[in-house]
Amino acid sequence: MEDVDGEEMPGAIVEAFLEREEGVRALLEELEKLTIEGRHEEVRDRVRNLADSDESVFYTVAFSLTNSRQFFGDVEAQLDVTAADRLRDLADTFPALAEPFNIVRTERADDRLNPVTDTSYAVSYHRGVESPMVTYSPLSGEQELYESRGTPSEVLRVASDLTGATTDALDVAMDNDYSVNTEELSALIDRREELETELSKLRDQLDELRRTPVSDE
């Protein structure tokens, strides 16, 4: 379904949307309201339900919200300008829904689940345990997946576990002679360099802390 260049695409899926346009727009208006209210998890689940129940309508809306000139041009060629303009109006009317639809499209097309797009964090200090504290939340788009707070060593344990999972996954690929695409390989190299920079800084900090006398207060 990701391939919109086929002979029957996108005309076939757009026709399915046009037949249900009034009801779909009512749904999108409701989702837009939920997004404004910050109910991002509910929006994500509703978009998934749409993808499960009506794939053609889901992909029509998802492609329209990307504001893709190619997609709108294909619709004009296969249907007409009026149909394309009605889809362009979706992007203009519901811009806040572009992200949740894009994430669900990624989940469907690339076998993802709640892909982490960012991590928010805040740092503090707990005098009772004499340790800094890190509060962090992985984000998938605007949706906060969970919130956790721990000491730096506890947070690093999570990072270590995930790094180990990454190397295990690459071992499986290499053991089975599976390829890793160029884009993913390039991103892995970038992440490794970022980790090395932070680990170098961490090493210097730990060396300094070892030389600092522990307070008796």
Side-chain angles (χ1 to χ4, degrees), residues 19 29 48 57 66 69 87 107 116 124 126 145 181 203 207:
E19 292 173 358
E29 288 172 2
R48 287 179 179 136
V57 168
T66 66
R69 289 184 179 181
L87 298 183
E107 288 184 339
V116 176
S124 58
H126 194 300
L145 299 179
N181 70 73
R203 188 178 300 110
D207 287 343

Side-chain angles (χ1 to χ4, degrees), residues 98-116:
E99 185 172 68
F101 270 86
N102 184 57
I103 287 177
V104 173
R105 182 162 66 96
T106 299
E107 288 184 339
R108 291 296 190 271
D110 300 329
D111 195 27
R112 303 292 202 277
L113 178 62
N114 290 325
V116 176

Side-chain angles (χ1 to χ4, degrees), residues 30-185:
E30 185 176 350
L31 295 179
E32 179 96 352
K33 180 180 178 181
L34 293 174
T35 300
I36 294 171
E37 294 173 353
R39 296 160 66 178
H40 302 293
E41 183 175 359
E42 185 175 349
V43 171
R44 181 81 56 87
D45 287 339
R46 296 280 296 276
V47 174
R48 287 179 179 136
N49 289 339
L50 176 61
D52 290 336
S53 63
D54 199 326
E55 191 177 54
S56 294
V57 168
F58 165 75
Y59 276 104
T60 297
V61 175
F63 288 134
S64 298
L65 293 176
T66 66
N67 232 343
S68 167
R69 289 184 179 181
Q70 178 183 342
F71 177 67
F72 295 142
D74 289 342
V75 172
E76 288 185 11
Q78 296 182 26
L79 297 177
D80 54 44
V81 174
T82 300
D85 286 343
R86 286 157 71 178
L87 298 183
R88 289 188 183 95
D89 184 64
L90 293 180
D92 294 336
T93 307
F94 306 106
L97 298 181
E99 185 172 68
F101 270 86
N102 184 57
I103 287 177
V104 173
R105 182 162 66 96
T106 299
E107 288 184 339
R108 291 296 190 271
D110 300 329
D111 195 27
R112 303 292 202 277
L113 178 62
N114 290 325
V116 176
T117 56
D118 199 1
T119 303
S120 67
Y121 69 89
V123 297
S124 58
Y125 187 84
H126 194 300
R127 294 186 179 277
V129 297
E130 295 184 323
S131 174
M133 305 295 287
V134 180
T135 303
Y136 67 95
S137 298
L139 304 175
S140 182
E142 294 293 328
Q143 180 180 339
E144 182 180 287
L145 299 179
Y146 66 87
E147 182 179 53
S148 181
R149 179 182 299 112
T151 66
S153 65
E154 292 167 341
V155 174
L156 277 179
R157 182 178 63 193
V158 176
S160 178
D161 288 344
L162 293 176
T163 302
T166 299
T167 56
D168 285 348
L170 294 174
D171 278 339
V172 169
M174 291 187 293
D175 290 345
N176 291 277
D177 294 326
Y178 296 150
S179 63
V180 176
N181 70 73
T182 302
E183 182 179 357
E184 175 65 14
L185 184 58

